[in-house]
Amino acid sequence: MGAYADEAERCIRCGFCNSVCPTTLSSIGHIPSRTSRGRLVLLQSSLNNGTPHPFTPRFKELIDLCIGCLRCLNVCPARIPIPTVMSSYRRAYIIAVGEKMLSRGERMVAHYEPIVKYLSRAPAPLRKILLGKPLLQLFRRIGEFADDAPLPIPEGGTLDKYFKKNAPRPGHRTLAYFSDTYARFVKPSVGVSARELLRTAGIELTYPRQYDSGVILWELGFWERVAKLAARNVDSLFEEVEKGRRILCTSPASTLMLREVYPKLLDNEKSRTVSEAVVDINELINGLVESGRLSANLSGFSPILHSTCLSQHLNLTGQIAEAFEKLGAHIEGVVTECCGSG
């Protein structure tokens, strides 16, 4: 675990993290080892005494109750990067026992990008068969996923193909769009909608060479693979920054990786330069509404916003809420509960 073993040792066991941890606040939270604080205590005991043994399936199962929501970062008085500590343990686990000891589900999720890439490019008749209920149920059973677990279903087509046909208009402000795998291969309509909206404000998007952000691999502990992806993405995006372009992200996970994870992982000037150039779509829209470059009459519109954990960590929810209110909408409420704890 390297330096993150020292971070685990700094835990003062106050339990503040328990108060915001989604899995701790679920029905299993009455068992100490299944709480956020309990996981750190387990790591401390293993690091200091060698017990319990850290590289057993049972120990990892308890650590894996951390889903990386980042809520604990705002309340930890010792400022321990708890989710990164848990990810560093998973990396140590893989190094110690090998990738083959991971569950089938983890190994399948680790190949998320090539799977959805293939499905997005498959002919429509073949994609319909592959995504039919029988094969999806088989996929769930092989990966030991819950029957009601939502799976990313590619809608067909890719953003690569779309942007190849829709080059940016000259003479307009241009941003470099880092879409990440979900918008690129699963829901290209996300990127298409973003481009159409920004065009009304006189902003064009270019689509540079890019790769998966590695956010899933980061959570699973495949740090070396993430480092390779990060280096390739940073090299490509740095060229865009040198042209005076900012980097647009439409996913909080992408914003997190480029803005926070890459600079720590690569620790070089290029990654820090790219990090500073990142703008999230929520921040951009709010700024465009504030300046009057985006306008609409949303009076009578009363949305309930879902504030994801990563959006809360990155302070993005307030950005889009402000934009809606400036356009005349009334925010009926904001749902802040974690949607990923099962």
Side-chain angles (χ1 to χ4, degrees):
M1 291 177 60
Y4 291 102
D6 296 332
E7 292 286 0
E9 295 277 26
R10 293 199 303 110
C11 174
I12 59 175
R13 307 188 182 189
C14 65
F16 284 13
C17 54
N18 284 354
S19 67
V20 295
C21 174
T23 52
T24 301
L25 296 174
S26 69
S27 60
I28 63 173
H30 67 284
I31 304 173
S33 62
R34 297 188 175 191
T35 66
S36 180
R37 175 175 57 187
R39 291 187 280 275
L40 287 167
V41 172
L42 282 172
L43 286 173
Q44 287 180 338
S45 177
S46 181
L47 289 166
N48 290 324
N49 308 315
T51 57
H53 193 287
F55 301 131
T56 64
R58 177 56 179 158
F59 191 99
K60 185 176 184 297
E61 181 182 325
L62 293 171
I63 297 298
D64 283 345
L65 289 173
C66 171
I67 59 175
C69 70
L70 308 181
R71 290 170 177 253
C72 50
L73 298 182
N74 292 327
V75 299
C76 177
R79 296 291 183 265
I80 299 169
I82 299 174
T84 306
V85 170
M86 301 304 155
S87 177
S88 72
Y89 159 80
R90 297 182 187 113
R91 175 183 179 235
Y93 181 89
I94 293 171
I95 292 172
V97 305
E99 184 177 341
K100 290 183 179 180
M101 292 301 293
L102 297 177
S103 69
R104 287 196 300 269
E106 288 173 311
R107 281 177 279 152
M108 291 170 73
V109 170
H111 292 88
Y112 158 71
E113 192 265 352
I115 290 173
V116 296
K117 180 179 180 180
Y118 171 78
L119 289 172
S120 70
R121 295 177 172 179
L126 176 59
R127 189 169 62 251
K128 185 176 181 179
I129 294 172
L130 294 174
L131 296 175
K133 187 174 181 180
L135 287 183
L136 286 180
Q137 284 299 99
L138 178 62
F139 183 86
R140 284 190 172 95
R141 292 196 176 186
I142 293 174
E144 300 175 331
F145 302 122
D147 289 340
D148 60 348
L151 297 176
I153 307 298
E155 60 190 16
T158 69
L159 281 182
D160 304 68
K161 188 174 182 180
Y162 173 78
F163 278 102
K164 193 172 290 186
K165 292 182 178 179
N166 295 274
R169 296 174 298 182
H172 292 77
R173 179 188 174 192
T174 302
L175 304 179
Y177 179 29
F178 182 77
S179 66
D180 211 353
T181 294
Y182 186 78
R184 185 180 187 184
F185 298 127
V186 181
K187 295 288 184 185
S189 55
V190 171
V192 174
S193 296
R195 175 182 176 270
E196 292 175 350
L197 176 65
L198 294 178
R199 266 199 159 186
T200 65
I203 296 176
E204 293 292 318
L205 297 181
T206 186
Y207 200 65
R209 183 181 71 258
Q210 56 190 268
Y211 309 90
D212 183 63
S213 72
V215 63
I216 293 176
L217 295 172
W218 175 254
E219 290 292 333
L220 291 173
F222 290 100
W223 285 19
E224 285 70 25
R225 288 168 62 179
V226 178
K228 290 179 182 179
L229 290 169
R232 295 168 77 183
N233 280 324
V234 165
D235 283 345
S236 176
L237 297 176
F238 184 76
E239 294 176 6
E240 298 297 322
V241 177
E242 285 191 311
K243 296 174 185 176
R245 295 170 179 165
R246 298 198 69 181
I247 311 301
L248 174 69
C249 293
T250 53
S251 159
S254 308
T255 302
L256 176 76
M257 294 299 288
L258 267 61
R259 189 176 280 175
E260 298 186 9
V261 176
Y262 283 9
K264 292 178 182 177
L265 189 62
L266 300 178
D267 192 24
N268 59 32
E269 196 57 38
K270 272 189 176 181
S271 61
R272 287 187 283 272
T273 299
V274 168
S275 170
E276 293 170 359
V278 170
V279 58
D280 187 88
I281 187 74
N282 295 281
E283 299 165 335
L284 180 61
I285 288 175
N286 192 29
L288 292 172
V289 171
E290 177 70 30
S291 66
R293 295 178 64 184
L294 266 183
S295 60
N297 181 8
L298 298 183
S299 57
F301 181 49
S302 302
I304 296 177
L305 300 182
H306 174 218
S307 176
T308 68
C309 295
L310 296 188
S311 293
Q312 293 174 53
H313 170 72
L314 295 165
N315 299 313
L316 299 176
T317 306
Q319 296 281 340
I320 198 63
E322 283 181 21
F324 272 126
E325 290 174 343
K326 289 169 186 171
L327 295 173
H330 169 69
I331 305 299
E332 189 73 27
V334 179
V335 178
T336 59
E337 288 80 5
C338 179
C339 62
S341 59

